[in-house]
Amino acid sequence: MISRPAIRRRPAAEGRAYVAYAVGTVLLVGAVIAGLLVGAADLPVRGVLLALMDLLPGVSVDHGLTPVEYALLMEIRMPRVVGAVLVGGLLAVAGAGYQGVFRNPMADPYLLGAAAGAGLGATLVIGYWDVESVAGIGVVPLAAFVGAIAGVLMAYALGATAGRVEGTVTLVLAGVAVSAFLSAVQTFVMQDKVDELRRIYSWILGSLTSVGWTEVQLALPYAAVSVFVLLLHGRLLDVMTVGDEEAAVLGVDAAKVRFLVLLAASLATATAVAISGLIGFLGIVVPHAVRRLAGGSYRRILPLSVLAGGAFLVVADIIARTVTAPGELPIGVVTAFIGAPFFVVVLRATRRVDL
Amino acid sequence: MTGLEIAGLDVARDRCPVLQGIDAQVGQGGWLAVIGPNGAGKSTLLKAVAGLLPYTGTVTAAGVPLRGLAARKLARTIAYTPQDPVVPAQMSVREYVLLGRTPYLGYLAVPGRSDRAIVDGVLERLDLGSFAEREVGRLSGGERQRAVLARALAQQAPVLLLDEPTTALDLGHQQQVLELVDRLRRDDGLTVVTTLHDLGVAAQYADRLLLLVEGRAVASGTAAEVLTPESIARHYNAHVEVTTGTDGRPQVHLVRPGRDTAVPVRKADA
């Protein structure tokens, strides 16, 4: 047998992936630094950058910030920016997971009742429970988290028992039914508690105003577990792109993969919703844009969605708190307002065949 | 050695029997064509053998009974391409073919160097090397069919089930794909089972034919044994003439009913 020369071209897709990871990382780091620098109070740029370098392990520099400035940076801005990275990354990676499982570019993390469940949970607590927190945990985030998980589980249970239509159609319909039902209950509660409408709406439109280190710390374990599980499923989501039947022929149990990915993606969504309320559009648009720019494999789409989603939400948050300063825009308004045109640009620039 | 043996196979869908008492045998490196009119159960037979539908009876591939085989082990024994494969449009051809290595990877494992080498070999063999980085959605019909075949070959299974591998292709590409399959089975000893609606094609390529009608096997054997004008008239309700080609294989020609076999000549042409 003739041995072939060892020179092998690196597949173009792989080369493109390295570039994409580099670009994503630079965007995220850039967005984070911008998020720390911009705000109501002017912090000296040099001081902030030095303070950040000081945080790196093994580096010790004198940042020259006053104690007040340093506290503002570390206790107000930093947790908010970290929270934005978490929420953006979680929603985007959850959206990518949902799109992979449903083989549908229109799928988003709220498809199976997570939003409606969280909305109802938060509304109930705001309306009927006059307690701010239990054991140091805010009751509204807690109710939103539980509601989101419960909504998805209801849809999944209904979809799994209500007949055997091929693939995922039953599941999506069950999600629609559960969402409609929970939203109806929520509307009923809102009619009953008209004086709380303002608080309920501001929660629905999403906000990062109240994010501190406590919230970040509480969310971190759930975020880590869900993102880790999702990233592990990249190759299997690629297998799922050929449909349940062909996946079975390749030895993959599509229903099992679907269950695990939905579980992890829903945990990610519930965590994000608990931190920030309902932020729309990001979960559908970021993975979609990533797919168009970096190719169709979920082994790249998932990690890149984390980076891009985090960067996107930090930027959206900067806009939300500067445009009408000292007031703040609801961040859900900003994500849709800048996200939609951005998405159109991506669609036009990359005219490719669809998913 | 027996490549694939089907014995007493019954398949029911929604409690309605679709296939009953099917027996078939094909030796290693053989080519069995499953033929029959629309709705006879040809695709159902392939799906059952591929493990996609529950069945009673036994199916044995390369001496191993398939029932109860773990999904991944089954996928290493039998490769199957459906009539209408789902192609993930934005995936590159290389990544798509790499999916064929799935049965060799653990739940969370990623493809390694040897998997990539196997895929490179398959791509080269099927003349897909220059398309490797192209998106599957951008391939022409013939190229796409080759990519689907490449994915099945990357499974390195001894039995290859192809459901109507040539339906969407023009004459030239049909021939190209069928010649390719024929070469693969002769070079690698792959056992090939295809459904084919074109009797002429089935007669040319397969060494054994199985004629299914309404879920039952009504004839099986060589092309000359199965493809008689009487049998085709009865089961397909078609009027044909069967001649013997120079290679000794039967050739099937359609004859238009109620006319002379001569080509009608219009006045304007004359």
Side-chain angles (χ1 to χ4, degrees):
Chain A
M1 200 175 142
I2 305 158
S3 68
R4 196 168 300 162
I7 308 161
R8 244 195 70 210
R9 233 164 11 98
R10 185 191 296 288
E14 257 173 57
R16 201 163 48 155
Y18 289 122
V19 176
Y21 285 127
V23 171
T25 309
V26 168
L27 281 179
L28 182 59
V29 171
V32 165
I33 291 174
L36 293 172
L37 286 173
V38 178
D42 280 326
L43 294 182
V45 176
R46 191 185 136 81
V48 170
L49 293 179
L50 286 175
L52 287 179
M53 283 173 64
D54 190 41
L55 288 179
L56 296 174
V59 182
S60 181
V61 286
D62 179 20
H63 48 72
L65 292 177
T66 67
V68 175
E69 286 172 335
Y70 191 73
L72 175 68
L73 177 68
M74 289 301 163
E75 298 305 321
I76 308 283
R77 283 197 192 158
M78 187 76 98
R80 181 164 181 160
V81 168
V82 172
V85 172
L86 269 184
V87 171
L90 285 170
L91 286 177
V93 78
Y98 268 76
Q99 288 176 10
V101 157
F102 289 104
R103 296 197 288 130
N104 187 332
M106 294 305 292
D108 82 346
Y110 302 145
L111 184 71
L112 286 189
L120 177 59
T123 306
L124 281 174
V125 169
I126 294 172
Y128 296 114
W129 205 13
D130 225 359
V131 180
E132 277 295 313
S133 63
V134 174
I137 304 169
V139 291
V140 174
L142 191 63
F145 183 84
V146 173
I149 298 275
V152 174
L153 287 181
M154 274 169 76
Y156 196 88
L158 189 64
T161 54
R164 293 237 152 262
V165 185
E166 293 286 314
T168 54
V169 181
T170 328
L171 197 51
V172 174
L173 292 177
V176 171
V178 166
S179 296
F181 178 78
L182 295 177
S183 300
V185 178
Q186 185 189 355
T187 311
F188 178 80
V189 174
M190 284 160 74
Q191 291 298 314
D192 189 41
K193 289 281 172 187
V194 180
D195 25 315
E196 297 286 2
L197 276 185
R198 205 185 148 78
R199 259 184 85 196
I200 294 169
Y201 269 116
S202 93
W203 184 85
I204 287 176
L205 288 169
S207 163
L208 292 164
T209 319
S210 57
V211 177
W213 284 124
T214 323
E215 285 74 17
V216 169
Q217 258 172 16
L218 278 173
L220 212 50
Y222 302 102
V225 168
S226 55
V227 170
F228 182 67
V229 172
L230 283 170
L231 292 185
L232 285 180
H233 278 80
R235 181 184 67 84
L236 287 162
L237 281 175
D238 280 349
V239 178
M240 302 274 285
T241 56
V242 297
D244 285 16
E245 191 172 83
E246 288 178 67
V249 171
L250 294 169
V252 170
D253 181 351
K256 178 177 154 196
V257 175
R258 181 149 54 234
F259 179 73
L260 285 171
V261 171
L262 283 181
L263 203 65
S266 302
L267 181 63
T269 310
T271 308
V273 165
I275 304 178
S276 66
L278 296 176
I279 293 176
F281 205 66
L282 190 153
I284 191 169
V285 79
V286 169
H288 215 56
V290 165
R291 174 179 300 114
R292 290 198 167 245
L293 298 170
S297 170
Y298 281 94
R299 289 169 61 197
R300 297 190 294 276
I301 293 174
L302 291 168
L304 285 172
S305 290
V306 177
L307 296 176
F312 182 84
L313 199 61
V314 173
V315 172
D317 188 44
I318 294 174
I319 295 172
R321 58 194 159 91
T322 49
V323 169
T324 57
E328 261 193 41
L329 283 172
I331 192 159
V333 172
V334 180
T335 53
F337 196 78
I338 63 168
F342 166 73
F343 191 42
V344 172
V345 170
V346 173
L347 286 181
R348 289 187 63 86
T350 59
R351 299 172 185 274
R352 290 187 192 208
V353 259
D354 280 307
L355 188 70
Chain B
M1 196 174 113
T2 316
L4 185 74
E5 186 174 353
I6 301 167
L9 182 115
D10 288 356
V11 176
R13 277 183 149 172
D14 297 326
R15 297 197 187 136
C16 221
V18 184
L19 288 175
Q20 289 180 288
I22 307 293
D23 296 307
Q25 265 196 14
V26 48
Q28 192 197 346
W31 185 332
L32 173 73
V34 181
I35 58 170
N38 291 339
K42 304 186 291 287
S43 296
T44 305
L45 177 60
L46 257 59
K47 283 188 182 182
V49 173
L52 294 171
L53 292 173
Y55 58 85
T56 57
T58 56
V59 180
T60 314
V64 184
L66 297 186
R67 187 187 302 283
L69 226 52
R72 275 169 54 206
K73 185 84 177 76
L74 181 64
R76 288 182 219 172
T77 312
I78 293 216
Y80 162 86
T81 66
Q83 190 167 347
D84 223 345
V86 180
V87 282
Q90 292 184 344
M91 199 177 271
S92 75
V93 171
R94 183 191 303 278
E95 285 168 332
Y96 179 73
V97 175
L98 200 53
L99 295 182
R101 299 303 297 162
T102 306
Y104 297 89
L105 301 173
Y107 190 79
L108 297 174
V110 291
R113 193 180 295 244
S114 70
D115 297 305
R116 292 183 184 282
I118 288 163
V119 166
D120 283 343
V122 171
L123 287 173
E124 198 148 312
R125 231 173 137 187
L126 267 58
D127 267 337
L128 284 166
S130 50
F131 300 114
E133 307 307 331
R134 192 173 296 181
E135 289 167 11
V136 183
R138 294 191 169 198
L139 299 179
S140 74
E143 293 157 2
R144 179 180 305 188
Q145 190 60 40
R146 288 216 307 273
V148 173
L149 196 56
R151 195 193 81 193
L153 288 179
Q155 277 177 257
Q156 294 190 319
V159 179
L160 195 55
L161 308 178
L162 309 172
D163 196 354
E164 296 288 357
T166 57
T167 342
L169 304 181
D170 64 40
L171 209 56
H173 286 104
Q174 279 190 29
Q175 195 170 32
Q176 193 190 21
V177 166
L178 292 165
E179 287 295 335
L180 183 63
V181 172
D182 197 46
R183 204 180 74 212
L184 293 169
R185 85 177 167 113
R186 274 189 276 125
D187 293 355
D188 298 10
L190 291 181
T191 306
V192 177
V193 180
T194 56
T195 62
L196 286 171
H197 69 276
D198 187 325
L199 300 180
V201 166
Q204 286 297 308
Y205 285 95
D207 50 13
R208 288 191 74 78
L209 271 61
L210 173 70
L211 173 58
L212 294 185
V213 177
E214 289 176 358
R216 291 174 189 276
V218 297
S220 73
T222 63
E225 289 162 2
V226 175
L227 297 176
T228 60
E230 299 74 42
S231 136
I232 293 171
R234 179 150 32 116
H235 300 301
Y236 281 84
N237 207 9
H239 193 188
V240 299
E241 203 177 71
V242 179
T243 57
T244 306
T246 46
D247 56 354
R249 286 173 177 264
Q251 296 181 331
V252 181
H253 310 279
L254 278 179
V255 180
R256 296 189 65 179
R259 282 175 191 260
D260 295 334
T261 43
V263 179
V265 179
R266 277 191 294 154
K267 263 196 186 134
D269 298 335

